[in-house]
Amino acid sequence: MARLSTCFRSTAAALLATTAALLPTSANADTGPSVPIGAPVFMVDANSPAATPGYIFYSTGLSAAQIVPAAADALSKLPPTAPANIVVDKAGHEVWRYIAPTGHDVSNFQPQMYRGKHVMTWWEGDALGGHGNGADIIADEHGHVIDTVKPGGFSSDVHEFKLTPDGHALITSYRQIPKDLSPIGGPKNGQMLDTVASVVDVASKRVLSEWSAAQHIPLTDTTCPQMPGSDVYDPYHLNSIEMGPHGDLLLSMRDTSAVYDVDAHSGNINWQLGGKRPSLAPGPGVDFAFQHDAQFTDANTIRLFNNNSSGTETHGPSSVQWIHIDPAGHRANLVRNQIHPDAVVAFAMGNAAAEPNGNTLVGWGMAPRISEYAPNGDQVFDARLPLGSYRAFPSDWTPTP
């Protein structure tokens, strides 16, 4: 297998510390994230009456942050934990678990709606250095698989599988292509990963559209230098796709530290927030890096998980940011910035999801926490995990036998 390169692939030193102690992850501007281990089991530290009742869906493990052999060696010193999809209640009691077959990984486990019914979805396959080759799974409320989806003849990547009300699916995939990497200091006859956003009709499996980062974003926009000793470069690293209010696609790319609004028909970029060539001027506080999970909360506001760290480069605590977008005025203004009271740093993974009562559930990615916040910023729920999780999602229902 070719070695793969991305910003957080060089975080072996940080992960080598994981065997040191069971401590929460905190920010350190000089050295980056500290020990990314939480608790021996799912442990609820705070659960106030203002927290939303219900359940939390998440996957154990680091499938979206597989790193280098040295990191794998560090993780091997921890007690073995099979990759699994898990549902817990707010008291921390596990109510459902799916363990992947031997040799497989799982990630991005969440409750969704399909054809008017509750379903569970996840990615399953082989994790490959920060992305994955596999398939997206749809299962009913009992855990029975009812469909498997891929973007045409390609494998599904670990990062995104989102069902839309019209029966479509938004899927990420990573595809190796030849590329002249000399503009960023690499070989002229190099290899890189193009990252593709696909819209697929679930019932027919027909690919309705594909958007290629390599066709629309200059290689020099990457914020990640070519890693020494890497054969395949990952300059973009698409990690979320959202269908916008006007049928556009909202794309988050970790390795350009930018969010893009893309015309789904022409492929043209309507606007860019962050990165080297933003078209929206950021207002005070609109400052993020290596982000995940960009979502529209309304027609003029996006929410994103600001990792603020690549593992080797840390700007401060991770946070969730709500940002008002004004494409006509070419401006973006901060609405709210939510950090954890312990100022945790997640150098990979992470998300935020709206609760029905206006609260927000936050999965802190590699920082092994899941928290909930009221609209005023109060933390009303907080739990520690043994290891991080790619995303965490709230639900008012749970799988049944």
Side-chain angles (χ1 to χ4, degrees), residues 139-221:
D140 64 19
E141 292 180 90
H142 307 289
H144 302 140
V145 174
I146 57 178
D147 214 337
T148 301
V149 188
K150 293 183 179 182
F154 297 94
S155 294
S156 295
D157 165 57
V158 63
H159 286 94
E160 190 67 272
F161 178 58
K162 182 171 293 180
L163 299 174
T164 65
D166 54 3
H168 300 162
L170 311 178
I171 302 176
T172 52
S173 60
Y174 282 55
R175 304 170 188 180
Q176 185 171 324
I177 62 172
K179 186 71 174 181
D180 177 4
L181 300 177
S182 58
I184 55 170
K188 185 173 182 62
N189 299 315
Q191 294 285 319
M192 64 167 260
L193 294 174
D194 186 14
T195 185
V196 178
S198 297
V199 181
V200 178
D201 180 75
V202 175
S204 68
K205 305 299 184 291
R206 185 165 60 95
V207 177
L208 305 177
S209 68
E210 288 187 340
W211 187 90
S212 158
Q215 294 177 10
H216 294 91
I217 301 176
L219 186 61
T220 50
D221 278 11

Side-chain angles (χ1 to χ4, degrees), residues 56-344:
I56 299 171
F57 285 52
Y58 72 99
S59 301
T60 62
L62 312 176
S63 58
Q66 296 293 316
I67 311 182
V68 292
D73 180 67
L75 292 173
S76 71
K77 296 179 174 63
L78 297 173
T81 302
N85 297 327
I86 297 174
V87 182
V88 296
D89 62 22
K90 284 295 185 66
H93 302 130
E94 185 175 308
V95 298
W96 193 83
R97 175 183 288 252
Y98 166 78
I99 299 177
T102 301
H104 279 209
D105 208 341
V106 291
S107 192
N108 199 24
F109 177 50
Q110 59 183 292
Q112 298 202 65
M113 297 294 294
Y114 180 58
R115 295 181 174 177
K117 296 182 179 180
H118 289 297
V119 294
M120 300 179 288
T121 67
W122 66 89
W123 171 89
E124 186 169 320
D126 299 321
L128 298 173
H131 69 101
N133 285 342
D136 294 304
I137 309 298
I138 304 176
D140 64 19
E141 292 180 90
H142 307 289
H144 302 140
V145 174
I146 57 178
D147 214 337
T148 301
V149 188
K150 293 183 179 182
F154 297 94
S155 294
S156 295
D157 165 57
V158 63
H159 286 94
E160 190 67 272
F161 178 58
K162 182 171 293 180
L163 299 174
T164 65
D166 54 3
H168 300 162
L170 311 178
I171 302 176
T172 52
S173 60
Y174 282 55
R175 304 170 188 180
Q176 185 171 324
I177 62 172
K179 186 71 174 181
D180 177 4
L181 300 177
S182 58
I184 55 170
K188 185 173 182 62
N189 299 315
Q191 294 285 319
M192 64 167 260
L193 294 174
D194 186 14
T195 185
V196 178
S198 297
V199 181
V200 178
D201 180 75
V202 175
S204 68
K205 305 299 184 291
R206 185 165 60 95
V207 177
L208 305 177
S209 68
E210 288 187 340
W211 187 90
S212 158
Q215 294 177 10
H216 294 91
I217 301 176
L219 186 61
T220 50
D221 278 11
T222 186
T223 57
C224 296
Q226 175 75 359
M227 298 296 181
S230 298
D231 298 328
V232 183
Y233 185 46
D234 184 0
Y236 304 118
H237 205 81
L238 174 67
N239 56 35
S240 73
I241 313 171
E242 162 83 344
M243 185 68 73
H246 305 296
D248 46 334
L249 296 178
L250 187 69
L251 309 177
S252 167
M253 298 202 188
R254 174 193 171 97
D255 286 358
T256 63
S257 288
V259 174
Y260 308 84
D261 186 88
V262 171
D263 186 298
H265 301 290
S266 69
N268 294 331
I269 296 174
N270 298 322
W271 51 258
Q272 175 181 329
L273 178 63
K276 293 182 177 180
R277 298 181 302 115
S279 61
L280 304 181
V286 180
D287 186 14
F288 57 87
F290 315 109
Q291 79 293 329
H292 286 72
D293 194 41
Q295 308 289 327
F296 280 103
T297 60
D298 60 43
N300 301 304
T301 307
I302 67 169
R303 181 191 63 230
L304 59 82
F305 184 85
N306 172 28
N307 292 81
N308 224 14
S309 176
S310 66
T312 56
E313 178 185 342
T314 297
H315 304 293
S318 299
S319 67
V320 179
Q321 292 191 354
W322 287 257
I323 301 170
H324 182 268
I325 303 298
D326 179 11
H330 306 288
R331 295 285 300 173
N333 294 306
L334 185 68
V335 177
R336 175 181 166 195
N337 185 66
Q338 181 73 58
I339 66 171
H340 191 282
D342 292 337
V344 302

